[in-house]
């Protein structure tokens, strides 16, 4: 798909609508009591702030002309107390709102991460992981200011504007109307800028996503980069992608900053207009104290208006990121529990594939009418050419994908009719792509069975012959491995993954190229333990080394989307068909080397 490239902009599949803000409000809801407390404090601070210009008016028009020192000291004291109260309110607001905002962001980040874990393999196959990662981290973080301060400040500023207007109308109606005469210009400006700003930030989010995807890809492939001396070429590509991001950033910022100076200029023009009208007494009759107080109220009016303009800027900016966040959250998992799904009871291990047809892409069947029945305790080896569908069979059994036609059953239960958790907890899976998490070796083996004791972990490690190398490490089972197990060899990572799968004590064991990175000597030792372990379990084994599967109950040769041959090793060798040719070719190659 075109999206699966770092240099291709993502198309927005779901346009923004105002219901997204309602969804955002759903994350705010649990914190309403805390927000209400902050609002009360803010309202009290706003009311206290309104007394400053009024005290100044009284002092200039009445107290100072009358030389009433005592009353002047009282007014000054009250004014000082109001400033202290406002300072305390500001401190409380900053701390409380920051905590609330970060809690909201944490909840959103948890929601998107939880949802990502339920999405199918196909979602991750079709997108660079860097473009997924940026939605969980960067895009959520861009909402920090909006949720930490913006929302509360908006409510605070609206209250401030209303309270200020009340005081202004109380002092002089005509001057108040003069103060509002330039507001229509502001509204026209806002409407003009909003669409341009949203589109600019959509483009910025695309370039930011591309940059993150390339960085992620480059770090993941750093060994290949250095092996082929591609540093200069990659640096040039990075420079191009980074430059695109820079240009998109500059365009977005230029549009965003159109609003702030516009509001600021309108504020200055309004103040100048009031000075002009007040001094010339054009249609008004005001005292000097009233005029000075009114200028103070105009600042109290336009400062929150400027803040509301900044909030609107943040809102438009956040819109571009909310679209991406909610688009991810609205991604419907292809594989999920049906409404009527039941818990799969403890299984024996019978597996039935009935006329199974599966395709990754329309018109191209990977499996085409596959039928087989596996009785409990049998070990099944899957062999055949690359891309024949061997891994697809075990993916359908684990229900990482759903069949297009037919059915896959475990103990007579269609895997689509039972819950995913109850199905997968009864299987042990070791996929071809071995993954070791950062943490101790003990925790890595315990990953699929959290309640396992250390003795059980060591026992599982001994069976798969992992114990020998683990005990020789500096801290043994408490040795901390790096991300993706980079400090371990490929064979060691596979042995740890094998122990992890076996520790779960599954009734169905799936091994996809489980011994591909293990040397021949270790593999021989491993086979000894496996023969005992596989007793009483249904197992599916994919291995290119045919020597490892000779003792399987049945061997399926998968070709052309079907089971072309099936039987024991001896039976298939006697047929002198596809399996015989494959085995003989591999044997001749080993003998020649």
């Amino acid at each position: 798909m075109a999206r699966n490239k770092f240099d291709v902009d993502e198309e927005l599949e779901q346009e923004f609508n105002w219901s997204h803000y309602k969804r955002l409000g759903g994350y705010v809801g649990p914190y309403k009591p805390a927000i209400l407390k902050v609002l009360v404090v803010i309202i009290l601070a706003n009311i206290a702030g309104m007394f400053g210009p009024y005290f100044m008016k009284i002092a200039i028009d009445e107290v100072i002309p009358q030389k009433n020192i005592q009353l002047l000291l009282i007014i000054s004291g009250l004014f000082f107390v109001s400033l202290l109260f406002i300072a305390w309110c500001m401190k409380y607001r900053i701390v409380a709102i920051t905590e609330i905002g970060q809690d909201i962001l944490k909840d959103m980040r948890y929601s998107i991460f939880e949802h990502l874990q339920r999405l199918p393999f196909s979602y991750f196959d079709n997108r660079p992981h860097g473009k997924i990662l940026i939605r969980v981290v960067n895009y959520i973080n861009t909402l920090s200011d909006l949720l930490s301060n913006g929302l509360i400040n908006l409510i605070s500023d609206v209250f401030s504007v209303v309270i200020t207007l009340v005081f202004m109308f109380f002092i002089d109606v005509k001057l108040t109307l003069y103060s509002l005469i330039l507001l229509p210009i502001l509204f026209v400006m806002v409407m003009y800028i909003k669409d341009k700003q949203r589109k600019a930030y959509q483009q910025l989010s695309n370039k930011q996503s591309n940059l993150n995807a390339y960085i992620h890809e480059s770090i993941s492939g750093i060994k290949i980069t250095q092996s082929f001396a591609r540093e200069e070429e990659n640096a040039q590509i990075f420079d191009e992608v980074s430059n695109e991001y820079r240009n998109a950033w500059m365009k977005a910022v230029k549009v965003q900053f159109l609003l702030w100076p516009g509001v600021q200029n309108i504020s200055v023009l309004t103040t100048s207009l009031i000075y002009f009208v007040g001094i010339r007494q054009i249609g008004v009759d005001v005292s000097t104290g009233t005029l000075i107080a009114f200028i103070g109220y105009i600042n109290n009016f336009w400062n929150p208006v400027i803040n509301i303009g900044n909030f609107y800027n943040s809102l438009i900016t956040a819109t571009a990121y909310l679209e991406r966040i909610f688009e991810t959250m609205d991604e419907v998992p292809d594989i999920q529990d049906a409404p009527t799904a039941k818990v799969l009871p403890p299984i024996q291990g019978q597996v039935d594939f009935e006329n199974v047809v599966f395709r990754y892409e329309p018109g191209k069947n990977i499996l085409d009418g596959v039928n087989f029945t596996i009785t409990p305790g049998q070990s099944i080896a899957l062999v055949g050419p690359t891309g024949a569908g061997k891994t697809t069979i075990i993916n359908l059994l684990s229900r990482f994908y759903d069949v297009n036609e037919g059915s896959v059953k475990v103990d007579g239960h269609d895997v689509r009719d039972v819950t995913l958790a109850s199905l997968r907890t009864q299987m042990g899976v070791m996929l071809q792509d071995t993954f070791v998490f950062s943490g101790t070796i003990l925790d890595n083996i315990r990953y699929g069975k959290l309640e396992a004791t250390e003795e059980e972990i060591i026992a599982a490690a001994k069976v798969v012959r992992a114990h020998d190398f683990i005990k020789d490490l500096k801290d043994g089972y408490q040795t901390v491995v790096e991300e993706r197990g980079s400090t371990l060899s490929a064979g060691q990572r596979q042995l740890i993954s094998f122990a992890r799968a076996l520790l779960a004590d599954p009734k169905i064991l799936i091994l996809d190229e489980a011994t591909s990175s293990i040397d021949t000597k270790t593999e021989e030792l491993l086979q000894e333990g496996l023969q005992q372990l596989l007793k009483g379990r249904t197992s599916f084994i994919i291995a290119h080394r045919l020597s490892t599967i000779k003792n399987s109950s049945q061997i399926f040769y998968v070709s052309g989307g079907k089971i072309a041959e099936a039987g024991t090793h001896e039976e298939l060798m006697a047929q002198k068909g596809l399996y015989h040719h494959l085995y003989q070719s591999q044997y001749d190659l080993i003998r020649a080397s």
Side-chain angles (χ1 to χ4, degrees):
M1 294 180 64
R3 279 186 304 174
N4 201 16
K5 295 178 65 180
F6 69 84
D7 56 350
V8 176
D9 292 345
E10 294 179 285
E11 294 182 5
L12 190 63
E13 298 179 352
Q14 175 179 304
E15 286 295 328
F16 182 83
N17 58 72
W18 286 98
S19 65
H20 284 47
Y21 287 123
K22 184 177 180 181
R23 291 178 64 177
L24 184 61
Y27 289 95
V28 177
Y31 302 96
K32 283 182 180 178
I35 292 174
L36 185 60
K37 290 180 182 178
V38 178
L39 284 177
V40 170
V41 172
I42 289 173
I43 293 170
L44 292 174
N46 285 337
I47 293 173
M50 294 301 106
F51 285 107
Y54 189 70
F55 288 152
M56 191 174 296
K57 174 186 179 303
I58 295 174
I60 293 173
D61 286 348
E62 300 176 21
V63 178
I64 294 176
Q66 295 175 8
K67 299 182 180 180
N68 191 337
I69 303 300
Q70 184 178 2
L71 183 56
L72 182 62
L73 291 174
I74 292 173
I75 291 176
S76 299
L78 291 174
F79 183 49
F80 180 71
V81 171
S82 71
L83 291 177
L84 290 178
F85 179 73
I86 292 171
W88 177 86
C89 291
M90 289 292 292
K91 178 183 177 182
Y92 176 84
R93 183 181 76 172
I94 291 171
V95 174
I97 288 305
T98 300
E99 289 182 354
I100 294 170
Q102 289 303 312
D103 285 341
I104 294 171
L105 292 180
K106 182 189 71 175
D107 293 344
M108 291 187 69
R109 196 175 289 116
Y110 177 83
S111 293
I112 192 171
F113 180 77
E114 182 186 43
H115 186 69
L116 282 172
Q117 292 191 104
R118 294 188 286 112
L119 293 178
F121 288 177
S122 58
Y123 179 84
F124 301 95
D125 293 340
N126 295 334
R127 291 164 178 81
H129 293 175
K131 292 192 177 186
I132 300 172
L133 177 65
I134 199 171
R135 300 188 181 206
V136 183
V137 182
N138 298 57
Y139 289 178
I140 295 288
N141 287 344
T142 58
L143 304 178
S144 177
D145 187 59
L146 181 71
L147 295 175
S148 295
N149 294 304
L151 189 61
I152 292 296
N153 286 349
L154 172 68
I155 300 172
S156 168
D157 291 329
V158 169
F159 273 113
S160 181
V161 168
V162 172
I163 294 171
T164 302
L165 284 175
V166 170
F167 273 77
M168 288 170 69
F169 275 113
F170 175 75
I171 292 175
D172 194 288
V173 174
K174 290 182 178 180
L175 275 182
T176 303
L177 295 176
Y178 274 116
S179 302
L180 303 177
I181 200 170
L182 296 179
L183 271 181
I185 297 176
L186 176 62
F187 291 130
V188 171
M189 184 184 301
V190 167
M191 298 305 294
Y192 172 77
I193 292 174
K194 69 169 186 176
D195 289 335
K196 290 181 177 295
Q197 184 177 343
R198 177 170 170 263
K199 290 177 181 178
Y201 272 92
Q202 283 179 344
Q203 185 67 8
L204 176 62
S205 72
N206 280 333
K207 300 308 179 184
Q208 188 179 16
S209 179
N210 293 347
L211 180 62
N212 201 71
Y214 186 69
I215 293 172
H216 184 274
E217 178 182 299
S218 299
I219 293 173
S220 299
I222 191 64
K223 292 181 180 178
I224 304 300
T225 297
Q226 294 183 1
S227 298
F228 286 89
R230 276 269 307 189
E231 292 89 345
E232 280 192 31
E233 291 85 348
N234 286 7
Q236 184 176 351
I237 295 173
F238 175 81
D239 186 58
E240 292 172 1
V241 177
S242 182
N243 194 51
E244 289 180 358
Y245 172 67
R246 174 197 173 279
N247 292 338
W249 172 266
M250 293 306 299
K251 288 180 181 178
V253 168
K254 285 177 182 178
V255 175
Q256 180 183 9
F257 285 171
L258 287 176
L259 185 60
W260 180 82
V263 178
Q264 193 74 36
N265 288 334
I266 292 173
S267 171
V268 172
L269 288 173
T270 301
T271 303
S272 301
L273 177 64
I274 295 303
Y275 270 125
F276 180 77
V277 170
I279 293 172
R280 292 297 187 92
Q281 301 288 308
I282 301 175
V284 294
D285 183 16
V286 294
S287 64
T288 302
T290 299
L291 182 59
I292 292 175
F294 218 85
I295 295 301
Y297 283 125
I298 287 176
N299 290 330
N300 285 347
F301 173 79
W302 279 103
N303 283 337
V305 169
I306 292 172
N307 292 337
I308 292 172
N310 290 335
F311 172 81
Y312 186 79
N313 260 333
S314 300
L315 193 65
I316 297 300
T317 300
T319 296
Y321 297 108
L322 279 173
E323 288 168 335
R324 300 294 187 188
I325 293 168
F326 287 135
E327 180 187 51
T328 303
M329 290 186 181
D330 289 339
E331 190 78 31
V332 179
D334 295 335
I335 309 300
Q336 56 183 321
D337 292 338
T340 58
K342 299 178 181 178
V343 174
L344 180 66
I347 62 174
Q348 298 300 312
Q350 178 170 322
V351 176
D352 296 285
F353 272 56
E354 300 177 353
N355 298 313
V356 169
V357 175
F358 177 78
R359 64 188 73 91
Y360 292 104
E361 300 175 6
K364 187 179 179 181
N365 290 348
I366 301 299
L367 299 179
D368 189 9
V370 171
N371 287 279
F372 61 78
T373 295
I374 309 301
T375 57
Q378 282 191 310
S379 58
I380 308 302
L382 301 173
V383 300
T386 301
K390 305 183 295 296
T391 299
T392 299
I393 289 175
I394 61 176
N395 281 342
L396 293 176
L397 176 59
S398 302
R399 208 186 163 208
F400 293 136
Y401 300 93
D402 273 339
V403 299
N404 297 109
E405 299 176 30
S407 64
V408 176
K409 295 181 179 179
V410 174
D411 281 12
H413 299 275
D414 192 312
V415 294
R416 292 168 294 186
D417 296 333
V418 299
T419 63
L420 288 170
S422 64
L423 172 68
R424 293 175 182 170
T425 53
Q426 299 193 64
M427 293 183 179
V429 181
M430 183 175 172
L431 298 176
Q432 189 172 358
D433 183 16
T434 301
F435 196 96
V436 175
F437 296 89
S438 56
T440 66
I441 290 178
L442 192 77
D443 289 337
N444 263 284
I445 298 176
R446 185 187 275 141
Y447 190 83
K449 187 180 179 182
L450 298 179
E451 71 277 9
T453 64
E454 187 170 347
E455 290 74 19
E456 291 175 321
I457 293 170
I458 294 173
K462 286 181 177 178
V463 170
V464 301
R465 301 302 190 267
H467 178 73
D468 293 337
F469 90 82
I470 294 175
K471 67 180 177 60
D472 291 335
L473 296 175
K474 180 181 178 181
D475 297 316
Y477 284 84
Q478 296 299 328
T479 299
V480 176
V481 295
E482 302 300 325
E483 184 180 5
R484 300 186 67 89
S486 59
T487 53
L488 301 173
S489 70
Q492 289 172 334
R493 291 198 298 271
Q494 282 196 318
L495 290 176
I496 289 174
S497 297
F498 214 170
R500 178 196 299 158
L502 301 183
L503 181 65
D505 193 25
K507 282 295 182 180
I508 297 178
L509 186 62
I510 296 173
L511 309 175
D512 186 353
E513 290 296 340
T515 60
S516 61
S517 298
I518 299 174
D519 60 84
T520 305
K521 182 178 180 181
T522 303
E523 185 181 357
E524 291 174 356
L525 295 173
L526 180 61
Q527 289 296 326
E528 296 174 8
L530 282 178
Q531 293 310 311
Q532 182 178 359
L533 180 71
L534 295 179
K535 289 180 181 179
R537 305 178 197 276
T538 303
S539 58
F540 288 81
I541 306 169
I542 298 177
H544 283 104
R545 292 181 190 172
L546 301 185
S547 59
T548 65
I549 59 172
K550 291 173 60 176
N551 296 325
S552 299
S553 305
Q554 287 194 72
I555 298 172
F556 290 168
Y557 189 99
V558 184
S559 179
K562 297 181 181 293
I563 307 298
E565 293 180 0
T568 63
H569 171 74
E570 290 76 15
E571 291 171 345
L572 295 180
M573 290 297 290
Q575 291 180 18
K576 297 188 180 297
L578 296 170
Y579 177 79
H580 176 272
H581 176 72
L582 180 67
Y583 186 86
Q584 197 63 44
S585 299
Q586 194 172 107
Y587 177 75
D588 291 342
L589 185 64
I590 295 173
R591 186 171 58 180
S593 61

